[in-house]
Amino acid sequence: MPVVIDCTHIYGADYTAAKVVELLVKDFNLRKQPLLFFNLKPSVCNVFEGVDLEFKLYYDYQVLERAIEELNLIGSAQSLASARSVLETAQSA
């Protein structure tokens, strides 16, 4: 399930905030859970890029919705494949 952080009311960030967001992004990546940022101000974006942070950023709501739908479809297909694998393993035991 993708998570969207609405950054509309985030007007500034410093290096410490960027490092915390970097840890957050890494944590979500380890869990294979998409983390998306919406409406991140250019100045904040520059701070995030200063720590070599790779993140998915959207400014258009419709584009964001499409990305979420695509990620949900991918996630559903992966969940279904995983469930099938578990079921097949259980049946063969």
Side-chain angles (χ1 to χ4, degrees), residues 40-81:
L40 189 62
K41 307 285 186 278
S43 60
V44 178
C45 190
N46 290 338
V47 173
F48 286 1
E49 289 170 350
V51 294
D52 257 348
L53 182 60
E54 291 184 30
F55 53 96
K56 295 177 183 161
L57 177 60
Y58 298 89
Y59 289 100
D60 182 273
Y61 189 73
Q62 291 175 335
V63 174
L64 174 64
E65 279 186 328
R66 278 196 302 272
I68 292 170
E69 288 172 6
E70 289 172 10
L71 289 167
N72 279 333
L73 289 174
I74 291 168
S76 294
Q78 290 172 344
S79 294
L80 182 58

Side-chain angles (χ1 to χ4, degrees):
M1 171 80 48
V3 173
V4 177
I5 298 179
D6 184 353
C7 302
T8 302
H9 300 290
I10 298 174
Y11 298 102
D14 60 8
Y15 179 79
T16 303
K19 292 302 282 183
V20 170
V21 172
E22 179 183 36
L23 291 174
L24 183 68
V25 168
K26 285 180 180 180
D27 182 51
F28 273 78
N29 286 340
L30 286 173
R31 292 187 285 160
K32 297 186 186 327
Q33 185 173 14
L35 182 62
L36 314 172
F37 292 84
F38 183 66
N39 279 337
L40 189 62
K41 307 285 186 278
S43 60
V44 178
C45 190
N46 290 338
V47 173
F48 286 1
E49 289 170 350
V51 294
D52 257 348
L53 182 60
E54 291 184 30
F55 53 96
K56 295 177 183 161
L57 177 60
Y58 298 89
Y59 289 100
D60 182 273
Y61 189 73
Q62 291 175 335
V63 174
L64 174 64
E65 279 186 328
R66 278 196 302 272
I68 292 170
E69 288 172 6
E70 289 172 10
L71 289 167
N72 279 333
L73 289 174
I74 291 168
S76 294
Q78 290 172 344
S79 294
L80 182 58
S82 178
R84 277 190 193 133
S85 175
V86 169
L87 182 58
E88 288 170 357
T89 302
Q91 289 176 341
S92 66

